[in-house]
Amino acid sequence: MFLSVVYFMTALLGFLTLMVLVSQYKSNRKVNFYLLILIFFASFRFFFIGIYSLVFFTVSDDVTVIFRSFGSGIFACIYLYFKCLVANRKNPVAGDLYYFSIPVLFGIYNLWMRHYTASWYLLSYFLFALIPLFYLGLSFFELKNKLWFQKSKTWRVQKQNMLVRNWSIFFFVFCFLIVLRLLVSLVLDIFVAGYSDGTSYFWLAGLLCFVLFFKLLFTPMMLYSNVLLDYEIKSEEYFELVFEDFWLDESDVLITNSQDLKLSERVESNLESYIYEIERMALEHFCFRNPKVSMRDFAIRLEIPKSHLLYFFKYHSKVSFIEFKRTVRIYDAISLIEEGFLEKRTVEKLSKKTGFYSCDLFLSSFKEIVGVEPLEYNQKRKELC
């Protein structure tokens, strides 16, 4: 009876959290499609287990196998959540389906094993333990390489990334503990012959999820960080921007175009956000390393219409989009040089890495912006060190 109350309370708090997350979907960087799936799945499962513990009813073995096997796709959702969090992407893309291939194959294997080779159940348990470890490992390397040890080049982005970094560490530890409970349960099933399908000590998962839901609901910086951060930024006297000299707070150009007049209301009210998001996306996500990236591609990464970006560079930038792209690539090259890129690789490889079609164009652009050529810059850097 006590455990059913725990499960129902966790499910109730989970569904409440889900509703709040949905309301914050567009405005909060930490909320994406896969987090909603994870919260829904966890809440539904605790609700189902709560009912099952109160009113016992028969569930066919085939249904149990299907639920356990294909349900392992939730671990793929954990990895995809972190992947989207790092990329600042909200919605799933077709390429995400690739990561569900392992759970699908595992489900097919379990169904086949049940009807033809039931004696191979130990292999099923081994695979069931391996799948969450595999996706947890992918998540660790994704976060380690692209978020936890990445330094921001702007003050505002550093502030945002610190919040996201702290949240990702908390959520990764939560996922690790959930997987650890599952592994312990599977080991007990094998050696103690419990055959619980990984549900031993499931109340621990309930308590962990209760803590997660509670933290999401009652820690404002988790769900409302954008609002609080904007307020905090407004109270600061100094904001660090890498390309501050590029941007215009007010345009001296008279707007006569009817389409631009309509856009002005939308863009002008969010001008500061546009500036910081453009710099963050350009510097933190290396969008311009792709030599074919266009303004349309960049607008898609920013999740804004191309017309908004056209308006911004037309009325609030001292440089064109092409010039901005070129400058960002040179800044990227400088960062790579300072990381030792030219110690083992050539200038030509550096030019390709940063998105230039031509090495000659890279050299001329580098000298124009920095004042010296890349090799000379690298030599002076080593002398200073």
Side-chain angles (χ1 to χ4, degrees):
M1 180 66 181
F2 171 73
L3 288 181
S4 63
V5 172
V6 171
Y7 296 144
F8 277 126
M9 289 295 294
T10 303
L12 180 63
L13 195 62
F15 285 125
L16 180 60
T17 304
L18 181 64
M19 288 190 291
V20 177
L21 286 172
V22 170
S23 69
Q24 293 292 316
Y25 182 76
K26 290 185 178 180
S27 61
N28 196 317
R29 182 181 168 188
K30 295 185 289 296
V31 179
N32 62 50
F33 173 80
Y34 292 105
L35 183 62
L36 301 184
I37 292 295
L38 290 169
I39 300 299
F40 174 79
F41 180 87
S43 303
F44 178 79
R45 189 172 187 194
F46 286 118
F47 181 75
F48 179 82
I49 294 293
I51 293 177
Y52 186 77
S53 61
L54 282 179
V55 184
F56 180 79
F57 51 90
T58 303
V59 180
S60 71
D61 291 340
D62 282 339
V63 172
T64 302
V65 169
I66 291 172
F67 182 80
R68 181 190 67 188
S69 305
F70 293 101
S72 62
I74 204 68
F75 300 112
C77 287
I78 290 174
Y79 168 65
L80 288 169
Y81 168 71
F82 286 124
K83 188 177 178 67
C84 290
L85 181 70
V86 169
N88 196 30
R89 175 162 57 86
K90 293 285 184 183
N91 299 314
V93 295
D96 292 348
L97 293 174
Y98 168 79
Y99 296 100
F100 292 98
S101 58
I102 293 177
V104 169
L105 290 173
F106 177 61
I108 294 171
Y109 164 75
N110 272 340
L111 290 174
W112 175 79
M113 180 203 68
R114 171 170 170 73
H115 292 287
Y116 298 103
T117 56
S119 59
W120 290 14
Y121 75 94
L122 283 178
L123 179 58
S124 177
Y125 271 73
F126 174 75
L127 293 174
F128 195 26
L130 194 61
I131 288 172
L133 288 176
F134 172 71
Y135 286 111
L136 204 62
L138 286 180
S139 301
F140 174 78
F141 286 109
E142 183 78 15
L143 293 167
K144 172 180 171 290
N145 296 330
K146 298 181 181 179
L147 180 60
W148 289 347
F149 300 107
Q150 288 289 325
K151 291 184 178 180
S152 170
K153 299 178 178 66
T154 69
W155 176 86
R156 178 185 172 103
V157 173
Q158 182 65 29
K159 199 83 170 179
Q160 289 176 332
N161 282 356
M162 184 61 69
L163 292 171
V164 176
R165 186 181 299 120
N166 292 343
W167 158 247
S168 67
I169 292 172
F170 170 83
F171 192 57
F172 180 83
V173 171
F174 163 82
C175 293
F176 173 80
L177 292 175
I178 289 291
V179 170
L180 182 62
R181 184 217 62 86
L182 174 63
L183 296 179
V184 170
S185 178
L186 292 174
V187 170
L188 289 176
D189 280 0
I190 295 172
F191 292 101
V192 187
Y195 303 111
S196 68
D197 288 327
T199 58
S200 301
Y201 301 107
F202 194 68
W203 57 270
L204 282 174
L207 291 178
L208 287 170
C209 286
F210 189 89
V211 171
L212 173 68
F213 299 152
F214 190 86
K215 183 175 181 64
L216 283 169
L217 284 175
F218 298 102
T219 307
M221 291 303 285
M222 299 309 301
L223 286 175
Y224 308 105
S225 59
N226 291 355
V227 176
L228 293 179
L229 186 59
D230 286 342
Y231 176 79
E232 190 174 333
I233 285 172
K234 289 176 182 178
S235 67
E236 295 285 342
E237 295 181 355
Y238 176 72
F239 315 123
E240 181 188 349
L241 286 169
V242 174
F243 305 112
E244 186 175 10
D245 293 339
F246 285 5
W247 316 125
L248 297 169
D249 293 330
E250 295 182 4
S251 175
D252 296 330
V253 180
L254 181 64
I255 302 175
T256 56
N257 184 288
S258 59
Q259 184 178 359
D260 288 349
L261 286 171
K262 292 179 181 178
L263 287 172
S264 65
E265 297 180 5
R266 300 176 183 177
V267 178
E268 300 289 344
S269 60
N270 296 299
L271 188 60
E272 183 180 294
S273 296
Y274 274 88
I275 293 173
Y276 286 112
E277 282 300 302
I278 286 171
E279 287 212 4
R280 183 187 64 77
M281 190 60 67
L283 294 169
E284 299 297 318
H285 294 278
F286 309 112
C287 296
F288 299 141
R289 284 186 178 180
N290 179 359
K292 296 181 180 180
V293 68
S294 63
M295 181 178 283
R296 179 180 176 276
D297 299 325
F298 192 54
I300 291 172
R301 292 296 302 272
L302 289 168
E303 297 185 348
I304 62 172
K306 179 184 173 182
S307 57
H308 289 207
L309 199 57
L310 277 167
Y311 177 93
F312 177 83
F313 274 96
K314 183 176 180 180
Y315 295 104
H316 290 285
S317 175
K318 298 177 185 177
V319 298
S320 67
F321 176 73
I322 293 175
E323 181 65 21
F324 174 69
K325 186 166 55 173
R326 185 175 72 112
T327 305
V328 170
R329 285 170 173 163
I330 296 302
Y331 270 68
D332 187 16
I334 292 171
S335 296
L336 289 171
I337 291 172
E338 292 178 349
E339 292 170 6
F341 187 93
L342 289 179
E343 301 305 315
K344 296 182 179 180
R345 281 154 289 197
T346 64
V347 171
E348 185 176 359
K349 287 185 177 179
L350 179 61
S351 69
K352 289 182 178 179
K353 175 76 172 178
T354 51
F356 282 89
Y357 277 115
S358 163
C359 186
D360 290 337
L361 177 59
F362 168 70
L363 289 171
S364 61
S365 298
F366 194 97
K367 189 168 184 178
E368 178 186 340
I369 293 171
V370 182
V372 295
E373 293 188 349
L375 290 175
E376 187 179 350
Y377 179 88
N378 188 42
Q379 184 60 37
K380 290 183 176 181
R381 178 189 67 84
K382 289 191 286 188
E383 290 173 358
L384 290 173
C385 294

